[in-house]
Amino acid sequence: MTEDLQDLIEERDVRAAAQWLADHAPHEIADELTRLRAVDSALAWRLLPKGRALEVFEELDSTQQQELLGGMRDHLFAELVENMDPDDRARLLGEAPAGFVQKVLAGLSPRERRMTAELLGYPAGSVGRVMSPEIISVHDTTTVGQALARLRARAEHAETIDLVAVVDASRAYRGTVALKQLVLADPDQAVIDIADDDHPIAHVDDEAEASARLLQEYNLTGLVIVDREDRVVGILTVDDALEIIEQADSEDIARQAGALPSAGHYFSSSVWQLAGLRVVWLFILIVAAALTVSVLQIFEDSLEEVTALALFIPLLVGTGGNVGAQAATAAVRALALGEVRPSDVLRVAWRECRVGLLLGMTLGIVALGIGSIVVDFPVATVVGISVVLICAWAATVGASMPLLARAIRIDPAVISAPMVTTLVDATGLIIYFLVAGAVLGL
């Protein structure tokens, strides 16, 4: 069985560790480095060839990058950050302490420092912060032959050559042309004649996630980025877009689970940091859960009169919470993909209400059967009817809350499944006892 990198490093088998590093992809190496102790990670890093070390470094999250750079000598530090892509460098510095940022910028060449400073000047979370300024552009008067010659001359320093921006004399955007179009076109033809002026673009101040999802929606390899004067300033490539979407989805998943999102790799966070990310929402939820206790106090007399009602509280609370969580997750996902908008809230609520009714009728029959076996038929009837109503209510609330949150500019994922579940628990009990009062005459 092949040993993993951690075993080889601990055994100080340098030759085998170097071979392991040569046989694995950069992202696999980056993942293994995260699992190692700091001293072992530094040893493994020294075994990487210079070019491969940069590829691995760019696969690490910003926290790991800072830790690794902090242990390097000045000349190695400067060489590594100089060779990074400007967008990757800006991502690193955007989350770093001020002293670290100054050290990095001071060690860069004037060209790289200028590009990095420009990216850092855009708002955090904007596509301008994560785009690459290394885009190839040609003037609209350029011929196809001249454009191909420019591609060959600039390809080494460009983020991608698959997409070329066409600009006028003031660098204002006129359209885009794909590499395939240039290769197939007449060399003497003007590029503006084959340029696509309907190709989607984004502005530097646009939200990074929205721009990434636009690229995904249109199945593009790149998205041209323009400034407020419509001048071409950069490009968002598909690999960067996928990273943005992955990060956004990870944040949504964390919030839906009732936790604050983690900024880095799981193993790069301490136990205290992980607990801190989770305790905030747990505190909010335990306070919100006090609503359930209050409801039980209000209907205490009903419970004393028909104690069998208490037997089914966990069943009703659990069912309602699960239905609400499902609806909330579906709504958050649909919002992220642009399938629904806040203005669709009534339509979505009505749709989910009917879904909840169908689920409730199915589960209500099961609950009625269980109730008839465990207790008498009247109480079982209360449970069955309550399941139907609670499911309809939970689905409606769960789907509506994320849309209403987006309408008032709150992240829909903040209206997480645990929050919906806690709310549905309290209101579901109210429905349960009101039904019991109506059916049993309490």
Side-chain angles (χ1 to χ4, degrees):
M1 180 177 178
T2 304
E3 292 185 278
D4 59 25
L5 181 62
Q6 183 172 353
D7 294 333
L8 297 173
I9 293 296
E10 289 177 352
E11 295 168 4
R12 294 299 185 261
D13 190 342
V14 175
R15 179 176 297 178
Q19 186 61 48
W20 189 99
L21 293 169
D23 293 339
H24 288 76
H27 72 276
E28 294 176 312
I29 299 173
D31 183 65
E32 286 300 315
L33 290 179
T34 305
R35 300 169 182 271
L36 300 178
R37 295 177 302 164
V39 62
D40 293 335
S41 179
L43 174 59
W45 177 262
R46 294 190 185 99
L47 298 176
L48 289 167
K50 184 182 299 183
R52 193 165 180 80
L54 178 61
E55 294 177 356
V56 173
F57 185 80
E58 291 183 341
E59 292 290 339
L60 299 171
D61 65 49
S62 60
T63 302
Q64 297 166 299
Q65 289 176 338
Q66 292 175 43
E67 291 177 354
L68 200 55
L69 287 171
M72 290 184 184
R73 294 172 181 167
D74 288 346
H75 71 281
L76 294 175
F77 180 104
E79 183 179 5
L80 185 58
V81 296
E82 174 74 18
N83 291 324
M84 291 179 69
D85 290 332
D87 53 323
D88 292 327
R89 193 186 302 120
R91 189 177 296 111
L92 163 66
L93 299 182
E95 302 174 7
F100 183 86
V101 174
Q102 292 174 0
K103 181 180 178 181
V104 171
L105 292 178
L108 294 176
S109 64
R111 177 178 179 272
E112 295 295 332
R113 186 186 307 119
R114 175 183 55 79
M115 287 192 295
T116 304
E118 287 177 356
L119 294 182
L120 291 173
Y122 296 115
S126 68
V127 69
R129 179 68 74 92
V130 297
M131 71 179 183
S132 171
E134 296 178 309
I135 180 174
I136 296 180
S137 60
V138 296
H139 287 106
D140 47 10
T141 56
T142 304
T143 65
V144 169
Q146 292 170 331
L148 287 171
R150 180 172 175 79
L151 274 178
R152 284 189 287 269
R154 296 287 306 278
E156 184 177 349
H157 301 288
E159 180 76 8
T160 179
I161 62 172
D162 293 333
L163 199 67
V164 179
V166 180
V167 299
D168 61 18
S170 62
R171 287 195 57 81
Y173 176 77
R174 293 290 308 279
T176 57
V177 59
L179 176 61
K180 180 179 179 180
Q181 291 176 282
L182 291 174
V183 172
L184 296 177
D186 184 343
D188 296 324
Q189 189 175 11
V191 291
I192 191 63
D193 294 337
I194 61 173
D196 179 9
D197 56 3
D198 290 329
H199 194 279
I201 61 173
H203 290 78
V204 287
D205 294 330
D206 290 348
E207 185 182 357
E209 182 184 351
S211 301
R213 294 198 184 279
L214 178 65
L215 183 148
Q216 181 187 45
E217 181 180 351
Y218 281 88
N219 296 317
L220 305 175
T221 58
L223 191 66
V224 175
I225 312 300
V226 300
D227 62 14
R228 296 178 184 86
E229 285 76 37
D230 285 339
R231 293 174 300 193
V232 174
V233 292
I235 186 170
L236 177 67
T237 53
V238 65
D239 57 330
D240 290 332
L242 290 175
E243 286 186 11
I244 294 169
I245 292 173
E246 180 183 5
Q247 182 180 2
D249 289 345
S250 297
E251 291 177 358
D252 288 347
I253 291 171
R255 291 193 174 103
Q256 288 171 19
L260 297 175
S262 175
H265 193 284
Y266 175 82
F267 283 112
S268 67
S269 301
S270 68
V271 172
W272 284 97
Q273 288 173 324
L274 291 173
L277 293 171
R278 301 175 189 179
V279 72
V280 176
W281 266 107
L282 290 175
F283 177 78
I284 294 173
L285 292 172
I286 198 171
V287 173
L291 291 172
T292 303
V293 178
S294 300
V295 172
L296 290 173
Q297 285 181 324
I298 293 172
F299 293 98
E300 188 176 359
D301 293 339
S302 299
L303 281 174
E304 290 179 353
E305 191 169 342
V306 184
T307 56
L309 292 173
L311 296 174
F312 297 94
I313 289 178
L315 182 150
L316 294 169
V317 166
T319 301
N322 290 336
V323 171
Q326 288 178 336
T329 301
V332 170
R333 185 63 178 161
L335 274 171
L337 296 177
E339 296 173 350
V340 298
R341 305 185 184 95
S343 57
D344 297 322
V345 61
L346 294 178
R347 183 180 176 187
V348 171
W350 172 233
R351 182 183 182 86
E352 287 294 334
C353 179
R354 288 177 291 165
V355 172
L357 281 172
L358 289 174
L359 293 173
M361 286 187 288
T362 303
L363 299 176
I365 294 172
V366 177
L368 180 64
I370 294 174
S372 299
I373 296 172
V374 176
V375 293
D376 54 28
F377 186 75
V379 174
T381 302
V382 171
V383 175
I385 295 173
S386 297
V387 167
V388 175
L389 297 178
I390 289 172
C391 286
W393 168 246
T396 304
V397 172
S400 301
M401 287 182 68
L403 275 70
L404 294 174
R406 173 63 65 84
I408 58 177
R409 300 185 181 280
I410 296 176
D411 187 346
V414 172
I415 309 300
S416 58
M419 178 61 80
V420 171
T421 299
T422 304
L423 177 61
V424 169
D425 287 351
T427 54
L429 286 178
I430 294 174
I431 293 172
Y432 180 41
F433 288 115
L434 290 177
V435 172
V439 174
L440 303 178
L442 300 178

